[in-house]
Amino acid sequence: MAALCSSSGGSKEGCERFSVRYVRWIHKRRYAVAAGWLAFCAVMSYFATDFISKTDNSFNAEPGTKVAKAIDVMGDHFPSLTHATNLVVYFEAKTPILDDGSVKQFDEVLRAQLNASYSPVFMPQYNSYWTMVNETHSEAQARKYFVSPNGLTTFIAITINVMSTDPKAMDCADAVQDAVDAWSFEGVEVTCLGLPSIVKTLIKSTEANMGTVDAVSIPLALVTLMWILKSARLLIIPLANMGLTAASSFGVMSVLAGFMSVNTIAPSLMMTILVAMSIDYNLFLLTRYRQELLAVPDDVKISPTGSSDLPQWRLCVISTVIDTAGQTITVSALTLGVCFLGLLMFPMSLIQSIGLANALTIVMTLLVNISVTPTLLLIFPAFFEKCVHAAPPSGYLPVAAAAPGEAGLGINCADEAGEEGRGFPSGKEGAGGGAGGAAEAKFDDRPANTGEAVRSVRNGGSAAAGGHPDDTPPARDLAAADKGAPPGEHRNLWWRVASFTMAWPYNAAVAVAIVVFVLPCCFFAFNGHYTDSMELFLPRGASVTRAYVSMADQFGLGSIYPTTALIVLRDVSPWGSVDHPEFYKGAAKFAYALIQNVEYMDNSSVASTVFADGRPVPYAVVLACRALMVDPAACAGSNESAACRDCFGVLFAEKMFTSADRRAVLLNLSPKVDPLGEKGAAMRRSMLDVADRHADALNSDIYYTGYNPITWDTMWFILDLLPMMIVVEGTVVFVILAVVFRSIVIPLRSVATIMITISWTFGLSDLVYEHDLLGWTHVHAFASVGAIVWTNVIVLFSMIVGIGLDYDIFLLTRVKEFYQESLVEDPLVQEPERTLVAVHKGLRDTGHVITAAGLIMAMAFSGLFFSDIPTVNQMGFYLVFSVLFDTLVVRSLLVPAVMSLLGKWNWWPRAELSACFSSNGYTALTSMEGIRR
């Protein structure tokens, strides 16, 4: 057993009482538990089917940011544009686009349909080449804004006054898409863009990618799990658990998605975590289950112990699994859940939704595994127990039936005063009689226990080793100390790894080498450039992605999600309104300063009533145009002149860009590169700097609104909170581990080693995706995009912390088991030998499981490499390489090396752990009062 209870004030019955009572409770209600889970998941499956369709990929401005203030001010002066979202219909042809009459006809029909369906308040603007010609009477001006330089492309921009994630926006996008699908275009490729349409594309791609990821990762993970368990029938349990977890977690999140925004990436992350952690937790539970079955002699299995439907030995086996592996996965899941819930501290609904979704998935995975696994083992015991066909290991004596009258007795702590009935390691199998017969132990010349081995080595041979401190025995000391292990177990690969990494001076060399290896990555870990480019969220090679890139090249992405500069006169302004020559002059200087100081902006990047065609619009021109248009006949029919056409354009711009209260003016900004890409941060800072320098001269406040400023301000706001999140999660991890292991040094060491994993992973990812470290591979999943997707840094930090803790807890729990067991079996052993041998045995017994778990999780995460969404590929890289590095390097090499260097200080401030007996399961039941020969 592995009940980690304190000896002070604890009774013998208390050590395993909960696990035994829990197994008995499950056994009595096993059919009800199974039926309950099936009913719950059947209901949740109904909701889970439309979960993905409820997700989105946008967010609102965070309160307190500059752009949040800008949105409020925009609502005061331009109420119809407060939540402006653009729907775009993009046309591409191989011949001049204006020669195709079907595009013009479609424009007229679409405009009529939308005007009939939506009010001007909901759809304040509908702009295209043909509408601008009608408004400005100038084909040249309309061509400049709506036709590409090569004449082959054009677009329609529809502005609606709702957020892009609003259901009304989605309905309008559907109406536009239906109109496109119903129209017959010849030689023209038509694509619906804009945020609502892009979000719909993301949802469809996510659904397809989840199928691809699952088809790749689940079979690989299951094959590896079957190889570790050496049984195909045990795979039924993880498959059932995954199905129940998926239905329940997706169903619950679907319900929550009706009340909150859920990020489009959340379903992919949930499925990846679900597969990885389900298989991980099943690996921990079922490997321990198989180990305990192997330790039960055949004569005990057929003996009439306990009740007829729950024999004593079966109770012991399953309760031991709950005590050991069950405790491990519980602590792991709680720690992971807390780490994911740490994302709730970020005041951004879509990041919070990812944290909540992942935490919910972890909790559901724990609940299913800790309840359904023992339920299935108790409903179908004979079926699953056939996974073990071999006799018990030769190093353990068989155990006969329990004494009459003791059937069903609970598992107790061992009697430390005597060793009557204890099964000692043996070189040969003991010969046992029938039930109640005696078993004769035959011993070879190996030390009977670890204590004798350590003392014999230190007394007889350690002096010859030389060159190492007393606290760290050399490798051969540890080998001899572990000589009492069962044959075939102590000389596996991880026994040899532990012997090397824990011996002086190799332990110090290993620790230093790993730190030196990681150090270069630390310089790149948190110093990279960040991006939120929409192109990285679009499926690679899809028609919408190609159209998106084409439109960005021809018109700039401002046409899809423009940035708007809002100039608002202050109350103390001497001008009273924007209708003043000095205001026009100052606003034109501001526009010109943007062009001069902001990279990737030129004369065509700014459109406003104060600045057009790359030059200022004097207020005198506006006054002249107003005077000219006083008489409508002055510019009608044959009287229309060039001056009239210019005035049509001037007054059209004034109507679009000047507020009704004459206190504010808009500037539409369309840079030539993606404003959310890796160059966007510098552009945003330059824009803010220009605004600060010109605000006082204009007697105005200058704001930036639109999707781009919202994204950048939110990004900076969230990234500024990252150091606080690191401190908070580090503190939470420290507290949890300090409570579980009652030590200060262990959690400090754990936090430090996890940060090594994070530094290496984040630094390597920056080298790959910003500096093109793996560009020579020509693999799409490793292709450089010039920056790191900023949401990955926030979301994956918590995930990697949780993953590192998962394996650390598994190793430390086993080390603690061996340590506490040695306090009873080898009370004369002193520190630091007791700790060193416990760590050595812990790595020997868990090394292969941790490695297998890491490989399984890496396989599950590697499915993300097969996604056609670059952001998902980047996530996969973070997760796969963090898991591999943590399992193969940190947990297997660095942690044992550091613990061997610390020695007895691992348990500080306590001198040693409690002495409550903690066995390796059924293999030590012969030392208990519950089952005797």
Side-chain angles (χ1 to χ4, degrees), residues 601-898:
M601 290 186 66
D602 58 22
N603 290 337
S604 64
S605 299
V606 181
S608 177
T609 186
V610 299
F611 195 90
D613 299 329
R615 61 181 185 273
V617 178
Y619 183 63
V621 172
V622 177
L623 290 178
C625 288
R626 289 177 185 170
L628 182 62
M629 294 299 173
V630 170
D631 181 9
C635 289
S638 59
N639 293 329
E640 183 175 310
S641 62
C644 289
R645 287 191 291 272
D646 288 342
C647 283
F648 279 123
V650 169
L651 298 181
F652 175 69
E654 184 184 31
K655 181 175 69 174
M656 286 187 62
F657 298 116
T658 304
S659 65
D661 61 4
R662 319 303 293 180
R663 299 284 301 177
V665 165
L666 298 178
L667 280 72
N668 198 37
L669 310 178
S670 301
K672 296 304 179 184
V673 297
D674 186 351
L676 295 178
E678 66 274 13
K679 300 178 178 65
M683 292 173 55
R684 171 70 172 151
R685 292 189 177 95
S686 298
M687 287 181 180
L688 291 172
D689 181 64
V690 171
D692 290 341
R693 288 190 281 110
H694 286 78
D696 290 339
L698 275 167
N699 293 304
S700 305
D701 295 317
I702 301 177
Y703 306 93
Y704 295 100
T705 67
Y707 184 74
N708 307 325
I710 288 176
T711 300
W712 280 111
D713 279 21
T714 302
M715 183 190 309
W716 291 336
F717 183 76
I718 297 298
L719 289 174
D720 286 343
L721 293 176
L722 181 60
M724 184 174 71
M725 184 190 79
I726 294 175
V727 173
V728 170
E729 289 202 4
T731 303
V732 169
V733 169
F734 177 88
V735 171
I736 291 176
L737 293 184
V739 170
V740 172
F741 296 101
R742 301 181 183 182
S743 166
I744 292 178
V745 175
I746 281 181
L748 286 175
R749 193 272 310 147
S750 184
V751 170
T753 53
I754 289 171
M755 287 306 301
I756 287 176
T757 298
I758 288 175
S759 299
W760 185 83
T761 303
F762 279 46
L764 183 64
S765 299
D766 185 73
L767 289 171
V768 170
Y769 291 103
E770 184 174 349
H771 301 284
D772 203 22
L773 180 66
L774 298 180
W776 55 273
T777 63
H778 303 292
V779 176
H780 286 307
F782 302 149
S784 173
V785 295
I788 298 295
V789 178
W790 72 279
T791 49
N792 285 347
V793 176
I794 302 298
V795 174
L796 298 180
F797 178 87
S798 295
M799 290 186 66
I800 295 171
V801 168
I803 290 169
L805 275 176
D806 190 27
Y807 300 129
D808 207 28
I809 291 170
F810 183 58
L811 173 61
L812 288 173
T813 301
R814 199 70 168 132
V815 170
K816 190 174 181 180
E817 282 187 59
F818 284 120
Y819 187 99
Q820 290 178 313
E821 180 180 320
S822 72
L823 290 172
V824 175
E825 294 188 342
D826 306 303
L828 299 180
V829 177
Q830 301 298 315
E831 288 288 2
E833 286 85 354
R834 191 185 304 281
T835 295
L836 296 175
V837 173
V839 175
H840 192 267
K841 287 183 176 181
L843 183 59
R844 180 201 68 196
D845 277 18
T846 64
H848 69 288
V849 178
I850 290 176
T851 303
L855 292 175
I856 289 172
M857 189 172 286
M859 289 176 185
F861 291 147
S862 66
L864 299 175
F865 289 147
F866 295 90
S867 171
D868 55 6
I869 299 177
T871 297
V872 176
N873 297 153
Q874 204 171 103
M875 281 186 176
F877 187 91
Y878 274 89
L879 294 172
V880 169
F881 283 88
S882 65
V883 167
L884 293 177
F885 183 77
D886 196 80
T887 56
L888 299 179
V889 178
V890 175
R891 302 305 141 203
S892 300
L893 301 177
L894 181 60
V895 170
V898 172

Side-chain angles (χ1 to χ4, degrees), residues 235 342 407 490 631 781:
L235 289 183
H490 70 291
D631 181 9

Side-chain angles (χ1 to χ4, degrees), residues 167-398:
K168 294 179 180 178
M170 296 298 178
D171 292 341
C172 188
D174 287 338
V176 173
Q177 184 65 60
D178 291 343
V180 170
D181 294 339
W183 197 264
S184 178
F185 295 96
E186 295 183 4
V188 179
E189 189 169 346
V190 186
T191 308
C192 291
L193 299 174
L195 286 176
S197 299
I198 288 173
V199 167
K200 284 184 168 292
T201 301
L202 275 172
I203 291 172
K204 292 179 181 178
S205 181
T206 300
E207 291 174 340
N209 277 304
M210 284 181 63
T212 302
V213 169
D214 295 344
V216 172
S217 60
I218 292 180
L220 288 174
L222 289 176
V223 168
T224 305
L225 181 60
M226 184 175 67
W227 175 69
I228 295 295
L229 296 176
K230 299 177 177 62
S231 170
R233 65 182 64 212
L234 285 179
L235 289 183
I236 296 174
I237 295 178
L239 285 173
N241 288 346
M242 280 191 285
L244 295 173
T245 306
S248 57
S249 56
F250 277 69
V252 173
M253 279 307 301
S254 180
V255 174
L256 294 177
F259 303 95
M260 61 182 293
S261 295
V262 179
N263 194 289
T264 309
I265 300 298
S268 293
L269 282 175
M270 287 177 66
M271 196 64 199
T272 300
I273 292 172
L274 186 153
V275 172
M277 301 313 298
S278 289
I279 294 180
D280 242 18
Y281 290 170
N282 275 280
L283 179 66
F284 295 163
L285 292 169
L286 297 180
T287 51
R288 190 59 185 252
Y289 173 70
R290 192 172 185 278
Q291 175 185 344
E292 298 305 320
L293 281 181
L294 282 169
V296 181
D298 290 337
D299 56 348
V300 172
K301 290 181 181 179
I302 63 176
S303 62
T305 60
S307 61
S308 59
D309 56 346
L310 184 58
Q312 179 73 33
W313 65 266
R314 186 174 293 144
L315 171 65
C316 293
V317 166
I318 299 179
S319 61
T320 299
V321 171
I322 298 299
D323 261 334
T324 54
Q327 184 193 55
T328 299
I329 69 171
T330 300
V331 176
S332 167
L334 292 177
T335 309
L336 273 166
V338 170
C339 289
F340 287 136
L341 290 177
L343 294 177
L344 297 180
M345 66 180 290
F346 292 102
M348 178 179 171
S349 60
L350 293 188
I351 287 184
Q352 291 175 343
S353 71
I354 292 176
L356 181 61
N358 291 345
L360 175 67
T361 303
I362 288 293
V363 171
M364 286 298 180
T365 303
L366 172 65
L367 293 177
V368 169
N369 279 273
I370 207 68
S371 61
V372 175
T373 298
T375 298
L376 292 177
L377 294 176
L378 291 169
I379 292 178
F380 309 102
F383 176 80
F384 290 114
E385 286 163 10
K386 289 181 181 178
C387 68
V388 176
H389 302 287
S394 60
Y396 292 87
L397 292 177

Side-chain angles (χ1 to χ4, degrees), residues 81-204:
L81 299 177
T82 305
H83 301 293
T85 296
N86 271 9
L87 298 175
V88 177
V89 184
Y90 185 59
F91 303 88
E92 298 175 276
K94 296 182 179 179
T95 58
I97 193 71
L98 297 181
D99 295 343
D100 193 310
S102 64
V103 178
K104 180 180 179 181
Q105 293 174 7
F106 173 78
D107 174 70
E108 294 172 351
V109 172
L110 179 62
R111 185 169 70 253
Q113 289 179 352
L114 296 179
N115 285 333
S117 302
Y118 302 103
S119 68
V121 175
F122 177 82
M123 191 184 74
Q125 295 179 8
Y126 179 103
N127 297 310
S128 68
Y129 169 83
W130 295 277
T131 58
M132 192 168 187
V133 168
N134 292 335
E135 291 282 351
T136 65
H137 296 247
S138 172
E139 292 185 3
Q141 195 166 10
R143 180 184 289 271
K144 180 178 64 177
Y145 287 104
F146 286 97
V147 181
S148 61
N150 61 13
L152 301 180
T153 62
T154 188
F155 68 95
I156 298 171
I158 305 160
T159 302
I160 54 178
N161 192 29
V162 292
M163 297 298 295
S164 59
T165 55
D166 191 289
K168 294 179 180 178
M170 296 298 178
D171 292 341
C172 188
D174 287 338
V176 173
Q177 184 65 60
D178 291 343
V180 170
D181 294 339
W183 197 264
S184 178
F185 295 96
E186 295 183 4
V188 179
E189 189 169 346
V190 186
T191 308
C192 291
L193 299 174
L195 286 176
S197 299
I198 288 173
V199 167
K200 284 184 168 292
T201 301
L202 275 172
I203 291 172
K204 292 179 181 178

Side-chain angles (χ1 to χ4, degrees), residues 492-546:
N492 62 16
L493 171 64
W494 295 107
W495 179 88
R496 300 178 188 279
V497 170
S499 298
F500 174 79
T501 57
M502 294 179 61
W504 179 266
Y506 306 119
N507 49 7
V510 167
V512 171
I514 292 174
V515 171
V516 171
F517 174 72
V518 171
L519 196 59
C521 292
C522 295
F523 295 105
F524 296 93
F526 296 99
N527 292 319
H529 293 90
Y530 300 109
T531 180
D532 198 45
S533 174
M534 189 62 67
E535 185 179 350
L536 300 181
F537 291 87
L538 293 174
R540 193 183 292 110
S543 59
V544 66
T545 308
R546 186 195 53 74

